[in-house]
Amino acid sequence: MTSGLRKAHKISWILIAVFGTIFLFFTIRGLNFDSQRTENREEAITSVQTKENKWIKLSQKGNQIQLIVKTPLKASSSVVYGIGANGERSKSLGQVSTVGIYVFYTDNPIQGIQIFDEIKEVELTKLKF
């Protein structure tokens, strides 16, 4: 390595160290380390509602929705919608594809769920509490 390359190498590593530190500072500053939010989530989980049919099992604990898909659904990729107080489907909670446990969080209370195949536009199942 020649003296010019050593000098360029030294300057580039100094610049990387300075800009890396500044970038790290602004990244950490943007994170939320508020423990009060987790406490509110634990307080919201008070009552447990459970409903089940032959395909799925649904549990609601506060704003957490746990969906257990017991047998494969008719569609490989289905969308889970929340059912509002008026009985109409509200916003999308997430997507299910295979047998397993899915956990969704909702801001508004829901009265049940509807699993809908968006491709074929067919309702696969619906559960209400």
Side-chain angles (χ1 to χ4, degrees), residues 35-65:
S35 64
Q36 184 178 7
R37 184 173 185 181
T38 57
E39 291 172 3
N40 288 342
R41 180 171 282 178
E42 290 173 3
E43 290 173 3
I45 301 175
T46 54
S47 65
V48 177
Q49 296 177 340
T50 303
K51 194 74 173 180
E52 186 173 358
N53 66 13
K54 63 182 178 179
W55 294 291
I56 61 173
K57 180 179 179 182
L58 178 67
S59 299
Q60 180 179 12
K61 303 173 191 171
N63 63 346
Q64 178 185 359
I65 309 296

Side-chain angles (χ1 to χ4, degrees), residues 1 9 12 14 18 23 30 32 38 41 61 65 70-71 74 107 112 116 128:
M1 194 180 277
H9 190 253
S12 65
I14 289 172
V18 169
F23 176 74
N32 185 10
T38 57
R41 180 171 282 178
K61 303 173 191 171
I65 309 296
K70 298 188 287 187
T71 60
K74 295 177 185 177
D107 298 332
F116 193 78
K128 291 185 180 181

